[in-house]
Amino acid sequence: MIALAACSDDSISNTTGADGGARCEGLCGCALAGPPDLTRAGAGSPSDSSSDDQRAALQRANLWRTSAGLAPLNAHAMLEQAATAHSRFMVSNPSSCWPGAHNEVMSASCGGFTGAGPGARATAAGYRPAALGEVINWESTPAASIDGWIWTVYHRFPFVNPEYTEVGFAAVPGTFGGRRTNFNTMEFGRPAGASATALTEPAVFPPPGQTGVPVLFRGNLEGPTPPLPATGRWPSGPVITVTFPSQEFELTVHKVYDASCAEVPSSYFSARTSDDPNVRSLARRIAFFYPDAPLAASSEYTVEARGTVDGQAWSRVWRFTTGR
């Protein structure tokens, strides 16, 4: 665990001030300021058949994943095959053949069928998963595709989930919504019989010292749509996540402060606290929150997260800076 003696619960709680003053000044003064470690972006191994796009996507995914302290992902040729098959299916068939982005319809008029869902497609490619996930979008480059996923809620989850050890990315050119772009699919997996590197402490994202953090999140553009912030409307501020070593966690404090030490109203969600079925099924070891409204550009913010993990007290206080 990272020791934050100056930010101990006692030293913070014994100062004064509700959403400003001495308490926040003390807290902000001892926040982890980074910068994040971006040196392990190339730590993952491509497959023997990885294309340039697949190598670029792997490196971009690991840049974000390792900056949060998680083990890098390796590419697997079978997952790349499954991702490519699904992207090609979407490109070559009308949307009626894929009524949901993760689904394929088997019929005489829908060519290239390899499986109704991600699990079936991975199996068809020869992969035997102990854990499997899939994300899809329509960005024009591998980097934009990865970044498009990482700054959302549910599509970030696979990138910060230690249960996954391998990935397969595919970008197939096509037309979507009347524009030329790529149909991007990324499969996340862990093969049967393999173990994942366990987290020794919770992983936060954005990581301490991260710059260029988006000022807002348009949750209405993500599917499934995350819960609305307390304002009842989008956009919110950027998504903040904490990935825990197990499902036995509770965050009792989850706050964001601006540069003047004023608390920024935020909405918090976890499987334990939310009635949303997507949160309850997808966020079993990941908690997330976001400011209720967009943040100011080019500004520093401090995040305070406190609670328990497996019955033991845990806290993290860190900073990030928004982009323009």
Side-chain angles (χ1 to χ4, degrees):
M1 298 260 321
I2 296 176
L4 297 176
C7 279
S8 68
D9 290 331
D10 288 342
S11 66
I12 296 299
S13 61
N14 287 340
T15 56
T16 60
D19 57 0
R23 180 182 188 280
C24 184
E25 290 171 4
L27 180 139
C28 294
C30 61
L32 290 170
D37 181 6
L38 305 179
T39 63
R40 301 185 69 207
S45 299
S47 76
D48 291 341
S49 57
S50 290
S51 67
D52 289 345
D53 278 354
Q54 289 166 334
R55 290 170 182 267
L58 177 67
Q59 184 167 352
R60 191 71 176 182
N62 279 329
L63 179 145
W64 294 122
R65 184 175 168 96
T66 60
S67 73
L70 291 119
L73 298 159
N74 296 315
H76 194 288
M78 291 177 183
L79 291 177
E80 291 174 338
Q81 179 182 336
T84 301
H86 187 52
S87 287
R88 285 176 176 167
F89 182 90
M90 290 189 291
V91 167
S92 60
N93 290 287
S95 58
S96 58
C97 290
W98 40 283
H102 301 284
N103 307 120
E104 293 183 9
V105 173
M106 182 173 62
S107 73
S109 60
C110 299
F113 176 86
T114 57
R121 294 191 290 272
T123 300
Y127 194 82
R128 299 294 183 268
L132 190 75
E134 180 181 82
V135 292
I136 293 168
N137 67 14
W138 293 268
E139 300 291 346
S140 59
T141 67
S145 181
I146 300 300
D147 291 359
W149 287 318
I150 204 70
W151 295 113
T152 65
V153 173
Y154 300 125
H155 292 71
R156 177 188 295 176
F157 283 3
F159 291 90
V160 295
N161 188 340
E163 290 299 313
Y164 297 121
T165 60
E166 299 175 331
V167 290
F169 174 80
V172 178
T175 300
F176 182 74
R179 66 184 178 96
R180 291 291 295 175
T181 187
N182 287 330
F183 285 62
N184 304 300
T185 302
M186 189 167 229
E187 309 288 352
F188 294 78
R190 189 181 82 251
S195 59
T197 302
L199 277 182
T200 58
E201 61 177 306
V204 302
F205 198 94
Q210 182 63 52
T211 59
V213 174
V215 299
L216 57 80
F217 168 53
R218 300 185 189 278
N220 55 304
L221 301 182
E222 184 176 15
T225 304
L228 281 164
T231 57
R233 63 180 182 273
W234 300 107
S236 69
V239 180
I240 300 165
T241 54
V242 184
T243 304
F244 292 90
S246 77
Q247 297 181 29
E248 299 303 317
F249 70 86
E250 183 174 9
L251 280 189
T252 53
V253 176
H254 30 79
K255 296 183 177 182
V256 180
Y257 304 92
D258 66 17
S260 66
C261 277
E263 183 178 345
V264 178
S266 303
S267 297
Y268 168 78
F269 308 94
S270 73
R272 178 174 294 182
T273 64
S274 179
D275 293 329
D276 188 303
N278 291 315
V279 176
R280 295 183 66 85
S281 64
L282 298 174
R284 293 174 182 171
R285 60 187 294 179
I286 301 177
F288 64 96
F289 50 107
Y290 24 75
D292 291 339
L295 299 180
S298 303
S299 299
E300 187 175 82
Y301 289 85
T302 297
V303 183
E304 178 186 15
R306 299 180 183 275
T308 59
V309 182
D310 292 325
Q312 301 297 311
W314 172 83
S315 65
R316 182 69 56 84
V317 182
W318 76 100
R319 303 176 195 166
F320 66 79
T321 303
T322 55
R324 296 182 180 180

